[in-house]
Amino acid sequence: MLQSGEYLISSTLWVRRSNITVDGAWPWPVLRRSVGFTQELMYTDSGSNPSWVTIRNIYFDGNRYNGATSTSFELNLYGCSYCMVTGNALFISSPYFALGTDNTKPQAVTYVNLQGLEYLGIYTSNGGTQCSDASGWSPSRCLNVSNSWFYSIGVNAIGFDLNNALIAYNSFNYNHTKCLFGAPGGQIDLDTGSNDVLVQNNSFTNGPSCPNDFWAVGVELHGSNIALVDNVIQNNTGEGIYMEGVHNISVSSTNPSAYPISNNNERGHGYNGCWGFPAIRIHTMTGKPQSETITISNLWLTAGQSYGVEASACRTGSGPPVLGLTVQNNCVAGNLVGGLYLPAAWYPALSNNQTSGCGGY
Amino acid sequence: MSKLLSALSTFVMFTALVAAEPPLQVQVTANIEFFEHMFATLDMAPETARSTFLSHLGIPKEEHQKVLSVAAEFSSKEAQLRTQAQSILALKGAEQSVLLGSIRAERTELLHSDAVLLMKSLDSGSRQALLGRISQMQKLIPKRVSN
């Protein structure tokens, strides 16, 4: 039990034992990064490979407003199997990456707040053999990010290579505020190494414009076998969902009026060439992998200043065709330019997509 | 005999109803992680983001003000307790331990009572919807599976 108080951290706290809870006593203790210290505040030592560690009731303060810098994480869970960060864990003011998770081990982040971070909220990677068996706990997912709050994070709230993952019931609001990688991007980015991810019942809202003239989109996809179900994606500056080089993607809802993808493209009609940002864009570009097997169904894709769904090489000229695109049973009304624009899609299967008389239009 | 059977049937139905709908206090206690997280989020979120968070939880807009009032009250009282706790932390020995224990208990009680108050402030439909959502969220907390 870590006693209440503020601890100025200038060397890493190592967690090497298994079957323990690293707990804080209320008022929750604050681990604050010392200016000049750039390593992890807390690290589950990958040398000893601990398991069943729970970390809770601790504030991790990256102290960036007082000049602290970092080349690592506030908390790094690398090497830790069946390890969880939960209740009242808070990550604030991180100058770099806040929480590192290891995609070779089962890990969970639930009921956690991440706010005011310079770069990334949760960075998932390792490079070893990806975790495939999480049967020791339920839900049996290798990465479980749930019930958490992500606000005002400079780049992605979650990235990049998630495997056998569940992202559910989180609120992502006003993230990707700085576009520090010199590009637009998603409040979450499931990159090329992401595989088998369920994104369910989250909200992705108010992704802003960045000071360097790039912008935030709701969800950015480059991976494989990803399902987005029942997510609210609204009022993002760029697209609601942007995908490129993806395989086997499904975007759907069980109740389209309750989970709209609407009012995106806050930058407005005509921004950045083409026709602005659609609710869902499948982008193709020479030199990038081909997108194939994408289903978009039972959604309200409304109230944008461009299209409901666009599959094109917009802004980049040309690219490989999009194969196996199905767009069915959607409402694509209320978009300024039109419902569907799919010049890059090879024989898409289209059915029952309404351009009026639905979604309040 | 038929009266006895009828009475028994009524008793069984009543028991089933009670079993199906545990008292609010019990439901709050069983899901206290949710309420603690909710209060903490509303406390730290900028004012403009609070309503977005409540909408994310599926709470209708017309109910937001009620929830925000209870949450603000909790934050204010919790801040007072935190200030007291921090002054006690400067003390030494057994006295510190006893006083801190007492304040922590008070804070736990406040958390439970304000969570109940929050739920009671919602109309019946919103309350049931929120309880349903909490139930889904609680299922996502990983539980160890014995082999």
Side-chain angles (χ1 to χ4, degrees):
Chain A
M1 175 75 74
L2 196 57
Q3 290 309 310
S4 305
E6 295 182 4
Y7 300 85
L8 201 58
I9 304 297
S10 54
S11 68
T12 301
L13 303 172
W14 297 94
V15 178
R16 293 194 165 104
R17 290 171 57 191
S18 296
N19 299 303
I20 59 166
T21 297
V22 182
D23 204 348
W26 187 86
W28 315 128
V30 180
L31 304 184
R32 181 165 295 131
R33 179 176 292 281
S34 180
V35 175
F37 177 64
T38 60
Q39 297 304 300
E40 284 88 352
L41 299 185
M42 187 180 285
Y43 196 162
T44 53
D45 180 25
S46 59
S48 58
N49 292 322
S51 60
W52 297 104
V53 175
T54 297
I55 296 166
R56 67 181 189 192
N57 298 331
I58 295 173
Y59 287 2
F60 294 86
D61 177 0
N63 203 18
R64 71 186 173 101
Y65 296 109
N66 288 316
T69 57
S70 165
T71 55
S72 57
F73 303 95
E74 310 312 328
L75 170 63
N76 191 343
L77 294 178
Y78 275 28
C80 202
S81 295
Y82 294 105
C83 295
M84 173 163 62
V85 188
T86 187
N88 301 302
L90 166 68
F91 294 83
I92 49 168
S93 305
S94 179
Y96 196 50
F97 296 176
L99 172 59
T101 56
D102 182 341
N103 63 9
T104 70
K105 312 286 183 193
Q107 299 184 338
V109 178
T110 187
Y111 286 126
V112 170
N113 285 326
L114 298 97
Q115 182 168 319
L117 315 176
E118 182 74 359
Y119 274 84
L120 262 78
I122 298 175
Y123 174 81
T124 296
S125 195
N126 182 306
T129 305
Q130 292 207 336
C131 164
S132 58
D133 179 13
S135 57
W137 65 14
S138 175
S140 59
R141 285 284 182 166
C142 287
L143 179 64
N144 168 343
V145 180
S146 53
N147 306 332
S148 295
W149 160 256
F150 298 82
Y151 181 81
S152 191
I153 296 172
V155 193
N156 314 105
I158 302 177
F160 295 105
D161 299 328
L162 285 68
N163 179 59
N164 187 8
L166 172 69
I167 300 175
Y169 287 91
N170 303 287
S171 174
F172 300 90
N173 188 23
Y174 194 67
N175 298 299
H176 212 281
T177 59
K178 296 192 172 178
C179 304
L180 291 172
F181 296 149
Q187 297 208 44
I188 65 168
D189 179 2
L190 307 184
D191 220 333
T192 49
S194 289
N195 182 42
D196 186 13
V197 185
L198 173 60
V199 182
Q200 187 167 25
N201 286 96
N202 305 280
S203 58
F204 301 89
T205 50
N206 304 313
S209 291
C210 298
N212 58 6
D213 212 30
F214 290 107
W215 57 90
V217 308
V219 177
E220 181 180 357
L221 303 175
H222 302 278
S224 303
N225 304 309
I226 299 170
L228 275 72
V229 183
D230 289 347
N231 297 286
V232 173
I233 306 178
Q234 289 185 306
N235 300 109
N236 294 288
T237 298
E239 295 90 347
I241 300 171
Y242 176 96
M243 55 182 106
E244 183 184 83
V246 294
H247 300 268
N248 194 23
I249 304 294
S250 163
V251 188
S252 66
S253 81
T254 55
N255 178 357
S257 66
Y259 305 104
I261 301 178
S262 67
N263 294 94
N264 295 294
N265 191 13
E266 293 285 289
R267 278 240 163 143
H269 171 57
Y271 179 78
N272 203 33
C274 309
W275 298 275
F277 305 107
I280 298 179
R281 180 190 300 282
I282 305 153
H283 188 243
T284 180
M285 180 179 171
T286 302
K288 295 284 185 183
Q290 185 160 39
S291 288
E292 55 189 12
T293 318
I294 300 165
T295 301
I296 297 168
S297 63
N298 208 36
L299 295 164
W300 279 9
L301 304 163
T302 59
Q305 300 189 47
S306 173
Y307 290 98
V309 181
E310 177 175 339
S312 76
C314 182
R315 294 194 299 275
T316 52
S318 63
V322 175
L323 305 179
L325 174 63
T326 301
V327 184
Q328 61 188 13
N329 302 327
N330 300 291
C331 172
V332 288
N335 293 294
L336 194 62
V337 186
L340 305 177
Y341 177 64
L342 310 170
W346 203 336
Y347 299 106
L350 311 176
S351 62
N352 191 31
N353 297 294
Q354 293 177 259
T355 53
S356 63
C358 62
Y361 292 91
Chain B
M1 184 67 177
S2 66
K3 276 186 179 172
L4 183 62
L5 278 175
S6 170
L8 189 62
S9 160
T10 308
F11 174 74
V12 168
M13 279 173 65
F14 175 75
T15 310
L17 270 176
V18 168
E21 188 63 45
L24 203 49
Q25 236 155 352
V26 174
Q27 296 185 65
V28 162
T29 301
N31 300 307
I32 201 65
E33 299 99 331
F34 167 84
F35 292 99
E36 192 160 34
H37 181 257
M38 183 189 197
F39 283 140
T41 305
L42 291 171
D43 183 49
M44 73 181 298
E47 201 172 334
T48 50
R50 290 175 192 151
S51 209
T52 307
F53 178 64
L54 295 179
S55 293
H56 160 73
L57 294 174
I59 298 170
K61 274 200 164 49
E62 56 272 21
E63 301 278 7
H64 287 189
Q65 198 46 53
K66 297 177 195 170
V67 174
L68 290 172
S69 298
V70 177
E73 194 177 310
F74 174 78
S75 289
S76 164
K77 289 180 191 162
E78 191 196 35
Q80 287 171 25
L81 291 174
R82 192 183 302 114
T83 305
Q84 287 177 45
Q86 279 159 350
S87 63
I88 290 164
L89 282 167
L91 303 174
K92 300 282 178 205
E95 188 186 10
Q96 185 207 64
S97 173
V98 170
L99 289 171
L100 266 182
S102 157
I103 286 185
R104 283 173 181 151
E106 202 176 326
R107 189 247 173 202
T108 301
E109 198 179 310
L110 176 70
L111 173 64
H112 282 76
S113 62
D114 277 2
V116 170
L117 195 64
L118 185 150
M119 293 305 279
K120 281 184 175 168
S121 77
L122 297 174
D123 68 40
S124 168
S126 302
R127 185 162 58 242
Q128 287 310 314
L130 184 58
L131 283 170
R133 189 174 178 96
I134 293 169
S135 163
Q136 293 302 314
M137 292 171 72
Q138 293 288 94
K139 286 178 191 163
L140 298 175
I141 302 173
K143 305 282 188 304
R144 196 167 186 158
V145 175
S146 50
N147 294 316

